[in-house]
Amino acid sequence: MINISKLYCGSASGSDPLRYGHGHSQPRGMARVKRPIVVWNITKRCNLKCVHCYTDSTECLAEGELSTQECRTVLDDLAKFEVPAVLFSGGEPTTRKDLFDLAGYATDKGLRLTLSTNGTLISESIAATIKKIGFTYVGISLDGIGETNDRFRGVEGAFKRAVAGIRHCKAVEQRVGLRMTLTDHNIDQLEGIFDFVEAEGIDRICFYHLVYSGRGGRIRDNDLTLKRTRHAVEYICDRTKQILQSGRNVEVLTVDNHVDGPFVLEKLRREGSPRVKAVEDLLLRNGGAVSSSGVGIGNIDFVGNVHPDQFWMHYTLGNVRHRPFSEIWQDESEPLLAGLRNRGKKVHGRCRGCRFWDMCGGALRVRADLALGDPWAPDPACYLTDEEIKPR
């Protein structure tokens, strides 16, 4: 994640220690093995039909989904392994009948929980339960305003019900934010989404770059061009600054393209900002993608398969029914896992000579794999020019 509020505007947030809390002392391209934030797709079942769904979820349960007891065993392991956070996702996690039993079990174990949901099933009572159990954050997806969101989500009325879910969470003082995936289906909705954030008093929003996994691969042709991506990130920076200057404390992030960090840095440099050196230090401390997939982010899917992140569903590191997640995660004899933790020796092409490598880390390896069949090829979503990335 690239924290626009922090990097571009200098605003502090509670999640800063997770991103900037460690020094950047590892060799170029080599990641320090650490406990990952675990994205757990606890069900494939979903009540919507989103065009970009990376799990290709449907209204039916996946065959062989983990049982309640198997999930508890996984939570025991994650707690003992001392992972920094667990994110329950799906499908739509609130369709799972034992969700709150599992969540309560997790918080009793001391695990820090977040919930990734489409929000359409969050009633007043469910919002109250979420708050009572102790979820630290609820991320609700909106991919446009009104009919635009409904077309993107594949179900009429999804926007109205998601907005109700947001308001139910806010009514019980549950921390809640928005998530939006940027495509040419909805890029014209950026202004409207920011207006919505301001009108509803929402304090966090994440803008995701499209990843070509699941149904996301079917709409690859609807991904933003590199030029339009630049314009979108530029607008996100400028609008964030306007909101913060108005006195609102909003955390704005971009996700799944680490090149956004160098882009923000160079935007500050062009503008003559006195914060250039401080932002450069933060980006180096974070390390970009070097600290992400297979290092600081891991995934468990609905049947217990472990992946380097939630978009690597086509590549499995092991299964929690056969070995604990902690054991799978520390097994560096696994070639992809080892490669992701020492990617500087593997990534090639324009990434290899890029002057921003230590801040970006080659961006999203899974997008290169899905688009080009080579996990070590340059990320095709890199929108910096050859002139911008050459050493100076």
Side-chain angles (χ1 to χ4, degrees), residues 222-296:
N222 298 113
D223 198 2
L224 297 178
T225 64
L226 300 183
K227 182 177 181 180
R228 294 188 82 189
T229 300
R230 289 180 72 106
H231 288 166
V233 178
E234 184 98 29
Y235 178 82
I236 290 167
C237 289
D238 293 341
R239 186 66 187 270
T240 302
K241 186 175 184 179
Q242 290 175 10
I243 293 174
L244 291 172
Q245 287 178 339
S246 74
R248 283 284 320 284
N249 186 21
V250 179
E251 186 180 28
V252 180
L253 306 103
T254 63
V255 188
D256 296 332
N257 195 344
H258 296 85
V259 75
D260 291 345
F263 178 82
V264 169
L265 176 67
E266 293 307 292
K267 178 173 169 61
L268 289 169
R269 199 187 305 277
R270 291 192 302 272
E271 294 170 354
S273 171
R275 298 184 56 255
V276 168
K277 180 61 168 61
V279 170
E280 188 174 59
D281 288 345
L282 286 171
L283 290 170
L284 288 171
R285 192 179 305 163
N286 175 265
V290 169
S291 299
S292 183
S293 305
V295 184

Side-chain angles (χ1 to χ4, degrees), residues 119-139:
T120 61
L121 302 178
I122 298 180
S123 62
E124 292 179 357
S125 62
I126 287 178
T129 301
I130 290 170
K131 176 68 174 180
K132 181 179 180 181
I133 286 174
F135 281 89
T136 60
Y137 175 73
V138 176

Side-chain angles (χ1 to χ4, degrees), residues 141-155 158-159 162:
S141 298
L142 278 185
D143 288 292
I145 302 299
E147 292 182 357
T148 299
N149 178 78
D150 290 357
R151 287 194 299 271
F152 203 90
R153 296 273 152 186
V155 174
F159 177 79

Side-chain angles (χ1 to χ4, degrees), residues 104-130:
Y105 187 83
T107 54
D108 286 346
K109 291 282 182 178
L111 288 165
R112 183 175 185 267
L113 290 186
T114 61
L115 182 66
S116 177
T117 170
N118 62 44
T120 61
L121 302 178
I122 298 180
S123 62
E124 292 179 357
S125 62
I126 287 178
T129 301
I130 290 170

Side-chain angles (χ1 to χ4, degrees), residues 128-342:
T129 301
I130 290 170
K131 176 68 174 180
K132 181 179 180 181
I133 286 174
F135 281 89
T136 60
Y137 175 73
V138 176
I140 294 180
S141 298
L142 278 185
D143 288 292
I145 302 299
E147 292 182 357
T148 299
N149 178 78
D150 290 357
R151 287 194 299 271
F152 203 90
R153 296 273 152 186
V155 174
E156 185 177 353
F159 177 79
K160 183 178 180 180
R161 294 196 296 274
V163 171
I166 292 166
R167 292 172 178 169
H168 292 325
C169 286
K170 287 186 65 62
V172 297
E173 299 183 343
Q174 169 64 50
R175 186 167 181 254
V176 62
L178 303 186
R179 303 174 308 159
M180 177 182 182
T181 299
L182 303 173
T183 73
D184 67 8
H185 286 297
N186 61 5
I187 193 61
D188 63 342
Q189 300 282 297
L190 260 182
E191 182 178 0
I193 286 289
F194 270 108
D195 290 346
F196 179 84
V197 166
E198 291 197 82
E200 295 289 330
I202 294 165
D203 58 11
R204 192 176 198 255
I205 181 167
C206 300
F207 294 100
Y208 286 73
H209 295 266
L210 181 67
V211 184
Y212 315 135
S213 56
R215 290 200 289 272
R218 302 176 201 170
I219 63 164
R220 183 181 167 193
D221 290 343
N222 298 113
D223 198 2
L224 297 178
T225 64
L226 300 183
K227 182 177 181 180
R228 294 188 82 189
T229 300
R230 289 180 72 106
H231 288 166
V233 178
E234 184 98 29
Y235 178 82
I236 290 167
C237 289
D238 293 341
R239 186 66 187 270
T240 302
K241 186 175 184 179
Q242 290 175 10
I243 293 174
L244 291 172
Q245 287 178 339
S246 74
R248 283 284 320 284
N249 186 21
V250 179
E251 186 180 28
V252 180
L253 306 103
T254 63
V255 188
D256 296 332
N257 195 344
H258 296 85
V259 75
D260 291 345
F263 178 82
V264 169
L265 176 67
E266 293 307 292
K267 178 173 169 61
L268 289 169
R269 199 187 305 277
R270 291 192 302 272
E271 294 170 354
S273 171
R275 298 184 56 255
V276 168
K277 180 61 168 61
V279 170
E280 188 174 59
D281 288 345
L282 286 171
L283 290 170
L284 288 171
R285 192 179 305 163
N286 175 265
V290 169
S291 299
S292 183
S293 305
V295 184
I297 297 288
N299 172 252
I300 305 170
D301 70 21
F302 20 83
V303 296
N305 290 326
V306 176
H307 312 281
D309 65 38
Q310 65 270 38
F311 301 111
W312 281 99
M313 294 285 177
H314 60 290
Y315 191 101
T316 298
L317 305 171
N319 188 285
V320 297
R321 283 181 165 130
H322 306 139
R323 286 197 297 167
F325 175 88
S326 57
E327 185 178 321
I328 294 169
W329 197 252
Q330 296 179 92
D331 183 3
E332 295 196 5
S333 67
E334 206 297 316
L336 179 60
L337 204 57
L340 289 170
R341 294 173 183 175
N342 194 15

